[in-house]
Amino acid sequence: MRQLTGLDAQFLALESPRQAGHVGALAILDPSTRPSGRLELSDIQDLIAERLPLLPPFRWRLRQVPLGLDYPYWIDDPDFDLEYHVRELALVPPPTHDKLAEQVARIFSRPLDRARPLWEAYLIHGLAEGQVGLLTKIHHAAIDGLSGAEIMGSLLDLSPE
């Protein structure tokens, strides 16, 4: 168990139907550089499962203090379900930047489920030239800029293997 800081609790409190508290990134990847030439949902799920020990916030979920008398706590989710957090979709052909932007905006506009760890990842197929997108979305209460960069460094490799 780890208690949220005042700032992290504030990120949760500021959230409303018109104001999101999560941050995200979209990486455009070229799967042709992989040995198999493809990037599938199972590849992303396997990668994250393998690296979960390096990604503690990916297993944390909120535990509220009774009556809201103190800041919430992060606890390890005993019911963690990787398949819930890592999803895939495909854009309707033909691929355009507008279609990608619209889909990313739709995903990003939805709040994260506070009963689960506060992150999601989407593998987006159907981009131009066989590329795929990897959209990550995580609540700002769980990470700051530095830890976000560390998470992306843990997830992304410098070589195609």
Side-chain angles (χ1 to χ4, degrees):
M1 265 179 28
R2 180 177 154 256
Q3 191 170 32
L4 275 72
T5 66
L7 181 60
D8 292 340
Q10 195 172 26
F11 286 129
L12 290 172
L14 291 174
E15 214 168 27
S16 73
R18 297 182 52 87
Q19 174 66 42
H22 48 264
V23 295
L26 175 66
I28 305 298
L29 307 171
D30 180 3
S32 70
T33 63
R34 295 192 73 232
S36 68
R38 302 176 54 92
L39 185 60
E40 303 293 338
L41 179 66
S42 61
D43 297 322
I44 302 297
Q45 289 173 333
D46 291 347
L47 175 79
I48 293 173
E50 171 189 315
R51 298 180 183 184
L52 269 177
L54 303 173
L55 307 164
F58 277 34
R59 293 191 55 94
W60 296 342
R61 74 172 170 84
L62 289 171
R63 172 71 62 146
Q64 298 293 333
V65 172
L67 304 175
L69 295 175
D70 202 353
Y71 297 138
Y73 284 81
W74 292 116
I75 63 166
D76 281 331
D77 185 357
D79 302 315
F80 180 72
D81 178 9
L82 185 62
E83 290 180 12
Y84 170 84
H85 292 278
V86 184
R87 306 166 185 178
E88 74 180 329
L89 58 100
L91 301 179
V92 175
T96 67
H97 289 292
D98 288 344
K99 287 179 183 177
L100 177 60
E102 182 180 333
Q103 188 60 53
V104 167
R106 260 193 213 122
I107 292 168
F108 214 73
S109 70
R110 293 189 298 255
L112 292 161
D113 181 355
R114 289 198 182 184
R116 297 176 178 269
L118 297 178
W119 69 276
E120 298 171 352
Y122 293 81
L123 182 60
I124 304 173
H125 299 281
L127 278 60
E129 301 172 12
Q131 295 176 324
V132 296
L134 181 61
L135 175 65
T136 54
K137 176 175 154 180
I138 187 164
H139 204 285
H140 204 316
I143 63 162
D144 58 23
L146 182 58
S147 60
E150 289 172 358
I151 285 172
M152 292 311 289
S154 296
L155 286 176
L156 300 175
D157 293 323
L158 297 177
S159 67
E161 296 78 29

